[in-house]
Amino acid sequence: LGTAFSIVFIRKTFCGKKSGKVNKMACPQKFVLYSKLYITTLLASALLGMTTGLLVYYWPQDPQFAHCSKSLDLGGIVGNLIIGDVNIARNIHLTLYNPNHRDMNVKETLGAIEYKGEQFGTFLVPELTAESRTLMDGVMDVDFTLLEDESLLQMARDYSENDLTLTVRMDIDYKVKGFGGSEAKWVKTIESSDFEETESSDEKDKSSYSRFCKCHGS
C-alpha cells in the first residue's frame, strides 16, 4: 500500500499539469526514472535491514563458563602444600554454555589456579564442540605445584581466618560455525566462605558460581 501511494505521488509530482496541460513529453521518462530509483532504494534498504538483522542474530558471542564445584577441600589443599605434598587428588567442575545460534568449537585450553597472582595449580579443558544454546559439563583433574614459603604461610593464615581467595583463569580460543576464530578470557574468584558448611543447598544454587550449572553432584 505504501509503495502504491509513493508511485502515485511520483506520478503527480512529475506528470502534473503545467500551464493547464499535462506535460506528456516529460512524464514518461521522469516517472520511469524516479519509480526505478524509488524501488531500488526500497529494495536496498530492505536487504540492508535483513542482512544487519541476521548478522546481529548470528554474530559470535563468547562462551560462558561457570565454576560449579559445590565442595572444594581448601583445608586439605593448604595442609598438603604446607608439608610439601603436591600429589593432591582434587578436581574442578566447570560448565560451558554456548549462547550462540550456531555450534561452537573450543580448542584445548590450559586453566590456571592462582593465589595472589602466583600460579600453583593447572587443569586441562579438552577440545570440544558445544551445540548451539546448550550446556556442557566437565570435571577436570588439577595438578598442583608448590608456592614460595612466605606465600604458603600467608595462604594458611587466610584459610584459618576464612578469608582465603583464589583465582581461576583461562584464555579460550573458540570458533563459531561459519565465522572466524575468536579469543576470550574467563576469570573467576573463589573464596573460602563460598564453601561454608552452614550455607544451605538452596543458597548455593542461587550463588553466582553455580548460576547455570547443569550438574550439581560435585
Side-chain angles (χ1 to χ4, degrees), residues 67-78 88-93 113 120 139-140 142 144 159 164-168 188-197 204 209 218:
H67 171 235
C68 301
S69 301
K70 280 196 168 185
S71 62
L72 192 62
D73 186 11
L74 296 179
I77 294 173
V78 173
I88 309 171
R90 295 292 183 275
N91 54 51
I92 184 169
H93 175 198
I113 302 177
F120 71 98
V139 178
M140 281 65 65
V142 180
F144 293 94
Y159 178 74
L164 177 60
T165 300
L166 305 179
T167 302
V168 183
K188 175 62 185 177
T189 299
I190 300 175
E191 299 179 356
S192 54
S193 58
D194 290 340
F195 304 99
E196 290 182 15
E197 293 300 324
K204 285 184 178 181
Y209 70 82
S218 56

Side-chain angles (χ1 to χ4, degrees), residues 49-121:
M50 290 176 60
T51 303
T52 302
L54 288 173
L55 282 175
V56 171
Y57 186 77
Y58 286 107
W59 194 257
Q61 300 179 57
D62 291 345
Q64 299 177 22
F65 282 87
H67 171 235
C68 301
S69 301
K70 280 196 168 185
S71 62
L72 192 62
D73 186 11
L74 296 179
I77 294 173
V78 173
N80 281 72
L81 293 177
I82 287 291
I83 63 175
D85 181 13
V86 295
N87 296 316
I88 309 171
R90 295 292 183 275
N91 54 51
I92 184 169
H93 175 198
L94 300 177
T95 288
L96 161 69
Y97 174 61
N98 176 12
N100 295 281
H101 296 275
R102 305 296 300 273
D103 293 351
M104 169 192 291
N105 176 260
V106 179
K107 293 184 178 180
E108 185 178 78
T109 302
L110 185 66
I113 302 177
E114 302 173 351
Y115 171 69
K116 295 187 181 298
E118 189 174 351
Q119 180 178 306
F120 71 98

Side-chain angles (χ1 to χ4, degrees), residues 148-180:
E148 296 293 331
D149 291 343
E150 184 178 344
S151 296
L152 279 174
L153 291 175
Q154 184 60 52
M155 177 186 281
R157 281 194 290 268
D158 289 348
Y159 178 74
S160 66
E161 297 172 359
N162 197 28
D163 193 32
L164 177 60
T165 300
L166 305 179
T167 302
V168 183
R169 187 185 306 275
M170 289 192 298
D171 292 328
I172 307 149
D173 291 328
Y174 71 93
K175 184 179 184 298
V176 176
K177 187 175 180 180
F179 292 87

